[in-house]
Amino acid sequence: MEVSLLALRHSGDVLFLLLGAVMVFAMHAGFAFLEVGSVREKNQVNAFVKILSDWSVSTVVYFLIGYPISYGINFFTSASGLLGQNQGYELVRFFFLLCFAACIPAIISGGIAERAKFWPQVCAGAIFAGISYPLFESLIWGQNSAGLQGFFKATLGAPFHDFAGSVVVHSIGGWLALPAIVVLGPRLGRYVRGRSQAIPISNIPFLALGSWILAVGWFGFNVMSAQSLEGVSGLVAVNSLMAMVGGVLFALIAGRNDPGFVHNGALAGLIAICAGSDLIHPIGAFLVGGIGSLIFVFGFKYEQEKLRIDDVLGVWPLHGVVGSWGGTAAGIFGSQALGGLGGVSFLAQLAGSLLAVVYALVTGFVVYRIIHRVSGFRLDEEKEFAGADLSIHQINAYPEENLK
């Protein structure tokens, strides 16, 4: 009887985490449609191919290199050994956490859209998903976390808390994207004689579809971060919901009904709540998401118009800065004084968030500088003008139009 109950428990955990992995895997379709809707028609095919290719390469490198770096577990054994005594739970855990690792090149893809060479970026994504991201993951969640988390606890009052990856995933991805965007420079025609020239997007319905797919999948991203059926929390689910709608409503007002800001506002709210979704009161989650949305709206405008950084989807403010806010916010709104469960330290959350910024910037600049020198990173002017679809893939998004 006891053996049967244990087997049922293992099976439940495997199914729980598998459902979460499938939901987060589906989010990559959201990344694709968000980018496809935000670029010009001549770059839509490239966006789809990049996301799928990056996913596939990330799977291989995270399986072979990244997951062993993060958790000290490899899969170089027999199939029966992989199944073990728990119905292959570790395999499904790899699948789930792979979905997080593969977010890194997917995030970067949106920032560098429309002017980056294909294979150099695939190689950069492989380095990030296979080495750079797993090293940081190991420090916060994985096999090397005892030392750093022990330091935070001893000196700053509590370990660094990032339940579902505001910092480990989104902040790292967004801050890694910034060096790539800077190295590439702006798209042709984006800034002319020192003046900003807006480049129109191609498809608002696709942008909205991408946002919706991401938002729905996010409940797998956050809730299933418990990684076991026993640890599931209704608080995480409702906090994710409240942060999302807070992001939408704040962006609706601050962005003056702009559909791009509204749909990205939902994502800003969800990014911001990841870290503290298991601690914060739902009202606090609404505010965390709303503030995250304001950071994106005003950060995107400042980035584009003041700093003259041509970040096509605004991934630096959306994932990088808002992710840093989410990590820090867990130390504010997670406190018992503001209705949270407590057990967090503002100083530890701030320190961990800043550590991610420094790590990502240094790693990103090193990788992209090397790529720029070795193979070149940007399409030449003729290919960029023609569009990545024809220049790289020899077909556009609507081939039938060529026959008219």
Side-chain angles (χ1 to χ4, degrees):
M1 182 66 175
E2 184 177 342
V3 174
S4 297
L5 289 175
L6 186 61
L8 185 62
R9 177 182 175 185
H10 287 320
S11 299
D13 287 343
V14 168
L15 179 60
F16 175 77
L17 202 53
L18 176 61
L19 292 174
V22 171
M23 291 179 73
V24 185
F25 177 35
M27 290 174 67
H28 289 265
F31 281 119
F33 277 100
L34 193 72
E35 182 174 336
V36 168
S38 300
V39 299
R40 288 167 288 184
E41 187 177 303
K42 63 182 180 180
N43 296 299
Q44 290 182 332
V45 171
N46 182 244
F48 278 129
V49 176
K50 277 194 301 178
I51 298 296
L52 186 57
S53 299
D54 284 337
W55 164 266
S56 301
V57 171
S58 295
T59 299
V60 174
V61 297
Y62 194 68
F63 183 87
L64 295 175
I65 305 170
Y67 195 76
I69 288 175
S70 295
Y71 300 101
I73 297 170
N74 66 66
F75 302 108
F76 299 106
T77 185
S78 66
S80 62
L82 294 176
L83 278 175
Q85 303 298 315
N86 56 8
Q87 280 84 11
Y89 173 83
E90 201 64 49
L91 290 169
V92 178
R93 184 168 180 256
F94 152 75
F95 182 13
F96 180 72
L97 292 169
L98 158 68
C99 296
F100 285 47
C103 285
I104 303 300
I107 289 168
I108 296 170
S109 177
I112 64 172
E114 302 202 292
R115 75 272 202 201
K117 290 182 177 180
F118 183 78
W119 285 110
Q121 176 51 29
V122 170
C123 292
I127 293 169
F128 295 139
I131 301 173
S132 178
Y133 168 81
L135 284 172
F136 191 81
E137 181 184 24
S138 76
L139 294 174
I140 305 301
W141 292 338
Q143 64 172 335
N144 299 316
S145 61
L148 182 61
Q149 295 288 31
F151 171 78
F152 282 140
K153 184 175 181 180
T155 60
L156 302 176
F160 177 69
H161 186 87
D162 190 5
F163 180 73
S166 287
V167 173
V168 175
V169 180
H170 295 284
S171 178
I172 288 288
W175 286 97
L176 278 173
L178 181 59
I181 297 162
V182 171
V183 169
L184 274 177
R187 290 167 291 174
L188 294 175
R190 180 63 182 88
Y191 302 105
V192 180
R193 298 186 183 91
R195 302 184 69 176
S196 176
Q197 304 288 331
I199 295 177
I201 66 177
S202 63
N203 196 308
I204 290 176
F206 274 1
L207 185 157
L209 177 62
S211 175
W212 273 107
I213 294 171
L214 283 163
V216 172
W218 223 293
F219 288 88
F221 197 99
N222 284 1
V223 175
M224 271 71 165
S225 284
Q227 298 187 32
S228 70
L229 194 58
E230 189 176 50
V232 68
S233 167
L235 183 64
V236 175
V238 172
N239 279 345
S240 301
L241 173 66
M242 294 299 287
M244 185 195 80
V245 299
V248 170
L249 295 176
F250 277 59
L252 187 65
I253 296 170
R256 300 181 179 180
N257 300 329
D258 180 277
F261 283 138
V262 169
H263 286 92
N264 279 288
L267 307 183
L270 287 161
I271 290 165
I273 198 57
C274 286
S277 56
D278 62 329
L279 299 175
I280 297 173
H281 188 280
I283 295 175
F286 179 84
L287 294 174
V288 168
I291 294 169
S293 182
L294 294 179
I295 291 171
F296 171 69
V297 171
F298 294 109
F300 182 78
K301 293 177 180 178
Y302 186 79
E303 173 193 41
Q304 299 284 328
E305 304 304 325
K306 299 295 184 182
L307 298 179
R308 301 295 174 90
I309 295 174
D310 187 18
D311 175 0
V312 180
L313 269 67
V315 298
W316 174 43
L318 179 61
H319 294 273
V321 182
V322 173
S324 299
W325 157 245
T328 306
I332 302 171
F333 290 91
S335 66
Q336 291 182 333
L338 292 179
L341 297 182
V344 287
S345 159
F346 169 73
L347 291 178
Q349 295 304 118
L350 179 61
S353 300
L354 292 176
L355 176 64
V357 172
V358 174
Y359 178 82
L361 286 176
V362 171
T363 304
F365 271 113
V366 169
V367 170
Y368 285 112
R369 282 294 181 187
I370 292 173
I371 286 175
H372 180 66
R373 289 183 177 275
V374 172
S375 65
F377 190 31
R378 181 165 180 155
L379 292 171
D380 62 43
E381 289 192 8
E382 183 178 351
K383 290 181 178 180
E384 183 179 342
F385 181 79
D389 292 358
L390 291 176
S391 298
I392 297 173
H393 309 286
Q394 290 79 52
I395 193 169
N396 61 28
Y398 306 97
E400 191 178 16
E401 290 185 359
N402 296 332
L403 303 176
K404 296 179 180 179

